[in-house]
Amino acid sequence: MNKRLISLLLVFAMIIPLVGCGGGSSEPVMKEELLIEGIVNGENLILGSEGVELRLDPVFISSDVNARISRIFNAPPLDEEGEINLQVYDFSLEGITKVDGVIQLAIPLILAEGEIPGAAYLNEATGQWEPVAFMYDEASGSVVILTDHLSKYGVFTSSNKGKRKARLEFLGLYGEGRDEDFLEAVEEYSIGGVPASECYEIGASAVGDSLQIGADILGNITQSAGYLAYGEDVLSTIGDHVGNIGLLLSVVQIGTNIYQGKIHEAVVASLKTSFTYVMGKAASKLSSSVMSASMAAVAIVDYSINKFGTEAVEGRSEIYREAYALYHSKGNPGFKGSDYWYKTFYPMFSDPKMTEEGLKTEIDRIVVEHCNEFWLPQNEVEVADYMSQARDKFGFSAGGGLNKGLMEEISNERRSMLYQDVLPGVFNQIALRINMDNEKRLREEYKSLSDYLNTSIAFNVTDPSKTYAKHQVRFSTLNDKADAANWTGRFKDDGTLSTSFTLYGHLYSGSPNKIEIYGPNADLEKDEPVETIEFKVTPPSVDIVIKKETGRLTRLVSAKTSEDAVSNLLVEDEYKSYFAEDMHPLPMEHLLSQQPITILENNVIDVSLSGSWATDTVSGKNQYAEWSTQYKYDVKNFHLNIPITVNNDLPVIGTDKTALLLDGKGTYSYTVTITTVTTSNQEVPAIGEKAWISGSVTRTTTFTSSGDVELYTHSNAIDSSKPVTVLENGIENLETKAVVLNFQNPVNQANVVENHYLKTTWEDKTEKEETSTNEYPIDATYILDNGYQIFFKYPVE
């Protein structure tokens, strides 16, 4: 399916409410200039000049009526800024303001590339412009407005340049979707009784394009109840509107295509099958409009291609036919004009309970009854009178031979004439009227969605502890359409933040569902936020209270970076550089810098960490030799088991800081293997023949340690002259600098394996290789001293 179903471009206007257009003393006064005036009647149904036309239909006009079209100047603006260029005309029929049918008004409007048409009528009682049903006729380059009342009508163009200037319900609704797409949407509805996936897809595409937010975004919102940014009420409301718009848009488009002859018979046949399923289903708020449009669409096609099998018959000039014709001529009792048939059949088409076959049967019953009326016994006297008139008019002397067969033949001739010549125009007018009514419903649905998305949401944040006073705030995550400055603010001195936005503005900017809080002087593009708070949009307001309640430490993050941990590993002497065989604390602290420890909700640390790290090979050359060196550690199991008895993260009263009360005792075990490789290549001074020596030493040290640990804080009083006091909502005069892991009572073991390799090469190319391996324990008591401490960050960033 073509995802770009509707080429509507509007949109920022969702956040710009339409203002009233009532006149004030400073507003210009409307002026009108007569364009054309003339008489319209059943034979002359069009009044026009310069491409502006008033088009009537025989179903609602039979006598002479004076008609006028005037050009209007200084009409009230459609948009608040008054930047939309409206072409406004006043259409009037003397003594008539509303008709029981459809008047067509044509106003020329040339569209540039990328522009779409818009139309509206001025409600002079309220002074506001209101949407109308209309089509754009590309052949004539004009907007054709469908209406049942006359007033001042305006047309305009809209493009990206004017997207702030008009609301959705005023713009053209006809797009590039195929008939089969619209048909599938209606069929889904007919089977399930509610708008289904195809309705949502069509609606999301149409509205998404119109609102410049994309069909995919809107589709996610309407079909995913778990969408992060919005509450259930928002999701369901937008979803209902989008589904209804997709359904109604499909119905209107099908009706329009049928009326314009753009839909083929096979699609109509399938369409009729769909509507058969709808019969008898529980009525929804849309079923009446859907059904009435379907009946009109089916009937107009059926009758125009003569499904009743009637054929035009050339009448013979017999006295009975002439008498019959006189009876049905204008001014006589049997005359039934288009207005009669319209008023008779329109209620039947509008009845959602009327089936297709029932509709056809009832129409034909009424038509046949009308055609046979002349022969009824009670009309015998009138028949004789019309026979006499026929003799006088045409000079017939007799008319014998009247029988039942001839009566049926004459009646069928009229029935055929009605279906061929009169009723198709009536059915066209009915279809036009019902489609106009459905388009009004569609535009009402668009307006309802427009109004809902224009809802203003109050957004309030309160920080009772004033921790974030003067801190900066930015909504996140914003898309590339958002103006970030409009979504950025600052807490007041009292710890409050207040703003507002519309649902549409929120959607358009990427549906941000978090606020990020930054320091007062932070660079929002470079610095990290100090706090991130999620929220859901729930009209009419979003209210956030930042509670600095008693928290807990949730992670141990090493105070040393990985660079800090290995900063002194390379040692240099006068001969060469080499890596020290540090077994502690380097491997442990470097591993912790890479792997923070999570403290679970049960306040028990029970983790086993493993990891490896190696340096690049470092090489060099001095007056003695060329050399290289490498280092690698392998921690196979660094295990901590620490039940924590106290873990309270408390606000420090009167500051933006927190302090930590922490106490835990447990055990540890630690196994690490250190491998160092040192190589050397040098020329050996000799009395006789020269020699070159290259060699390497690979030293592998395995160290194990186990014992006890304590976990506590490094804290001190902010003011040493005052006591530290724990209160119900925080703590006074305490500052926590770090969290300490203290190793106690270590039991250590270590052993070393050395592999030596030496290769000597003499001038005569003779070589000698020597290898040796030594393994021995070493004194490990000094490696991990009792009371060694590792520091972790506080606060954790």
Side-chain angles (χ1 to χ4, degrees):
M1 171 181 174
N2 187 336
K3 301 298 181 184
R4 301 195 63 78
L5 175 67
I6 300 298
S7 58
L8 302 179
L9 299 175
L10 158 74
V11 199
F12 277 49
M14 305 296 296
I15 56 176
I16 301 177
L18 196 66
V19 297
C21 302
S25 58
S26 61
E27 294 182 353
V29 178
M30 278 192 292
K31 296 180 181 179
E32 66 177 68
E33 175 186 278
L34 180 64
L35 184 65
I36 188 172
E37 183 174 15
I39 298 297
V40 290
N41 51 40
E43 287 70 43
N44 179 32
L45 296 168
I46 298 177
L47 178 71
S49 176
E50 300 178 12
V52 184
E53 292 184 348
L54 170 64
R55 304 171 184 172
L56 306 178
D57 193 275
V59 302
F60 55 79
I61 185 169
S62 56
S63 59
D64 291 350
V65 177
N66 188 55
R68 291 169 54 96
I69 303 175
S70 299
R71 185 182 284 110
I72 301 299
F73 301 94
N74 296 333
L78 181 70
D79 60 308
E80 188 175 33
E81 294 85 356
E83 295 182 14
I84 289 182
N85 184 23
L86 276 171
Q87 302 177 45
V88 183
Y89 295 87
D90 182 84
F91 300 84
S92 64
L93 292 172
E94 187 175 355
I96 300 174
T97 57
K98 189 175 180 66
V99 299
D100 190 12
V102 179
I103 300 173
Q104 297 187 48
L105 311 174
I107 302 176
L109 184 68
I110 303 302
L111 300 179
E113 185 177 354
E115 291 183 331
I116 59 171
Y121 90 91
L122 181 63
N123 185 331
E124 297 190 63
T126 63
Q128 293 188 345
W129 290 98
E130 297 185 7
V132 294
F134 70 90
M135 300 176 287
Y136 185 73
D137 185 349
E138 294 182 3
S140 64
S142 61
V143 172
V144 179
I145 296 169
L146 310 179
T147 184
D148 58 0
H149 62 282
L150 295 176
S151 176
K152 293 177 174 62
Y153 288 83
V155 298
F156 62 94
T157 62
S158 178
S159 68
N160 269 332
K161 294 179 180 178
K163 60 189 176 184
R164 290 181 179 270
K165 309 299 186 293
R167 287 174 62 109
L168 184 61
E169 60 270 21
F170 292 102
L171 298 183
L173 305 175
Y174 307 102
E176 301 171 357
R178 300 172 301 174
D179 292 330
E180 290 80 1
D181 301 330
F182 302 124
L183 175 62
E184 184 178 348
V186 178
E187 286 181 334
E188 283 183 345
Y189 174 80
S190 71
I191 294 171
V194 292
S197 60
E198 191 68 24
C199 293
Y200 282 110
E201 191 167 338
I202 291 173
S205 177
V207 177
D209 285 353
S210 304
L211 302 183
Q212 297 289 299
I213 58 177
D216 292 340
I217 295 175
L218 198 63
N220 288 338
I221 292 171
T222 57
Q223 298 190 48
S224 174
Y227 195 80
L228 296 177
Y230 301 99
E232 289 294 333
D233 182 61
V234 175
L235 294 172
S236 61
T237 302
I238 294 178
D240 286 346
H241 284 305
V242 168
N244 293 346
I245 285 171
L247 175 61
L248 279 169
L249 184 59
S250 299
V251 170
V252 169
Q253 190 69 66
I254 289 171
T256 301
N257 287 350
I258 291 175
Y259 178 77
Q260 295 180 339
K262 296 179 180 178
I263 195 165
H264 53 79
E265 191 173 342
V267 173
V268 175
S270 178
L271 183 67
K272 291 191 293 185
T273 302
S274 299
F275 291 129
T276 300
Y277 294 138
V278 182
M279 303 303 179
K281 286 189 175 292
S284 74
K285 65 180 179 180
L286 297 177
S287 63
S288 176
S289 62
V290 173
M291 286 307 305
S292 58
S294 73
M295 291 294 92
V298 169
I300 186 175
V301 173
D302 276 359
Y303 290 124
S304 65
I305 63 176
N306 196 15
K307 290 292 185 179
F308 279 104
T310 57
E311 297 179 359
V313 179
E314 291 186 10
R316 297 185 297 275
S317 297
E318 298 177 2
I319 189 170
Y320 296 109
R321 283 186 169 82
E322 298 306 333
Y324 185 88
L326 284 171
Y327 174 78
H328 291 97
S329 62
K330 192 171 184 179
N332 291 314
F335 175 76
K336 300 290 190 295
S338 294
D339 57 339
Y340 169 83
W341 296 115
Y342 178 89
K343 293 175 181 178
T344 300
F345 293 143
Y346 177 76
M348 296 162 55
F349 280 95
S350 301
D351 184 357
K353 299 185 292 298
M354 182 71 76
T355 65
E356 177 192 346
E357 290 306 317
L359 179 65
K360 291 180 180 179
T361 300
E362 184 63 12
I363 288 173
D364 202 42
R365 184 193 66 78
I366 293 173
V367 170
V368 169
E369 185 178 90
H370 162 74
C371 294
N372 291 334
E373 178 184 314
F374 182 73
W375 313 112
L376 293 176
Q378 58 265 35
N379 290 336
E380 185 176 348
V381 175
E382 291 190 36
V383 169
D385 181 50
Y386 284 106
M387 291 280 289
S388 175
Q389 292 182 44
R391 290 189 189 96
D392 296 341
K393 181 176 181 180
F394 297 103
F396 292 135
S397 59
L402 180 65
N403 55 51
K404 184 177 181 181
L406 182 58
M407 287 189 293
E408 290 179 354
E409 183 178 335
I410 294 173
S411 293
N412 282 335
E413 289 172 6
R414 179 162 184 81
R415 175 173 174 268
S416 176
M417 181 275 294
L418 286 172
Y419 283 133
Q420 292 287 335
D421 300 333
V422 178
L423 293 182
V426 172
F427 298 142
N428 277 348
Q429 182 68 197
I430 291 174
L432 202 60
R433 171 59 188 263
I434 292 176
N435 220 48
M436 179 187 75
D437 291 342
N438 282 329
E439 185 167 328
K440 286 180 180 178
R441 291 185 178 95
L442 173 59
R443 291 184 180 278
E444 288 169 0
E445 194 72 32
Y446 267 114
K447 185 177 187 303
S448 181
L449 174 60
S450 173
D451 290 342
Y452 182 71
L453 293 179
N454 202 37
T455 300
S456 181
I457 311 295
F459 190 87
N460 304 302
V461 185
T462 303
D463 175 18
S465 68
K466 303 180 184 178
T467 299
Y468 299 122
K470 298 183 180 179
H471 277 54
Q472 300 177 84
V473 176
R474 183 166 65 187
F475 285 77
S476 177
T477 302
L478 300 171
N479 60 20
D480 56 3
K481 297 179 182 179
D483 183 351
N486 288 338
W487 296 92
T488 304
R490 187 181 292 271
F491 277 96
K492 297 179 182 177
D493 290 346
D494 62 0
T496 62
L497 171 74
S498 296
T499 186
S500 65
F501 51 79
T502 65
L503 274 175
Y504 170 69
H506 189 259
L507 273 170
Y508 185 84
S509 298
S511 302
N513 70 315
K514 296 185 283 288
I515 56 169
E516 296 175 339
I517 302 175
Y518 295 81
N521 301 312
D523 184 334
L524 273 60
E525 303 307 320
K526 297 180 180 179
D527 298 335
E528 293 295 321
V530 298
E531 181 73 68
T532 298
I533 300 173
E534 294 187 358
F535 64 89
K536 284 184 181 290
V537 175
T538 53
S541 66
V542 177
D543 299 295
I544 300 172
V545 178
I546 302 176
K547 295 182 179 180
K548 289 293 183 179
E549 298 173 348
T550 300
R552 54 188 293 275
L553 184 68
T554 59
R555 287 193 307 159
L556 295 178
V557 178
S558 174
K560 283 188 177 181
T561 66
S562 57
E563 292 78 9
D564 292 339
V566 300
S567 60
N568 297 317
L569 185 59
L570 190 65
V571 179
E572 296 186 14
D573 61 22
E574 59 183 309
Y575 299 104
K576 62 185 177 183
S577 297
Y578 59 92
F579 284 111
E581 298 165 302
D582 282 348
M583 292 162 283
H584 180 83
L586 184 148
M588 188 186 300
E589 293 193 340
H590 187 270
L591 182 68
L592 288 172
S593 72
Q594 304 296 308
Q595 299 186 42
I597 296 172
T598 299
I599 303 175
L600 301 178
E601 289 288 341
N602 62 2
N603 274 329
V604 174
I605 297 175
D606 189 5
V607 295
S608 292
L609 306 178
S610 298
S612 301
W613 176 78
T615 66
D616 294 329
T617 299
V618 178
S619 59
K621 184 177 181 180
N622 57 31
Q623 59 179 325
Y624 303 109
E626 296 178 354
W627 54 267
S628 69
T629 181
Q630 292 175 283
Y631 169 95
K632 178 184 178 182
Y633 76 68
D634 239 319
V635 176
K636 294 186 172 60
N637 183 17
F638 173 31
H639 183 249
L640 285 174
N641 182 270
I642 310 173
I644 301 174
T645 55
V646 178
N647 184 2
N648 293 329
D649 197 12
L650 304 174
V652 179
I653 306 300
T655 74
D656 61 355
K657 297 178 171 39
T658 58
L660 180 65
L661 304 180
L662 186 68
D663 186 21
K665 293 179 175 62
T667 60
Y668 80 95
S669 60
Y670 173 55
T671 299
V672 61
T673 300
I674 307 295
T675 302
T676 60
V677 180
T678 304
T679 67
S680 178
N681 187 6
Q682 69 183 67
E683 181 181 332
V684 180
I687 298 175
E689 188 178 12
K690 286 185 178 180
W692 289 266
I693 297 175
S694 61
S696 65
V697 177
T698 301
R699 182 179 172 94
T700 303
T701 304
T702 302
F703 170 70
T704 63
S705 179
S706 61
D708 303 321
V709 287
E710 288 185 331
L711 191 67
Y712 52 86
T713 65
H714 171 50
S715 301
N716 57 266
I718 298 173
D719 184 344
S720 58
S721 66
K722 297 179 180 179
V724 173
T725 306
V726 178
L727 304 174
E728 182 178 351
N729 61 338
I731 193 167
E732 286 185 340
N733 198 34
L734 183 68
E735 183 175 26
T736 299
K737 299 288 189 179
V739 174
V740 181
L741 184 65
N742 187 14
F743 294 84
Q744 297 178 322
N745 309 315
V747 177
N748 302 334
Q749 289 182 331
N751 70 291
V752 177
V753 176
E754 289 183 346
N755 291 306
H756 294 262
Y757 170 80
L758 184 66
K759 179 180 179 181
T760 305
T761 304
W762 284 271
E763 271 187 301
D764 62 1
K765 306 301 181 183
T766 58
E767 296 180 345
K768 179 182 179 181
E769 291 184 326
E770 300 172 82
T771 61
S772 63
T773 299
N774 298 317
E775 182 175 357
Y776 51 87
I778 60 175
D779 182 7
T781 56
Y782 70 92
I783 296 177
L784 180 57
D785 292 335
N786 188 56
Y788 187 85
Q789 297 175 333
I790 293 180
F791 287 83
F792 298 93
K793 290 181 180 180
Y794 186 85
V796 179
E797 296 177 359

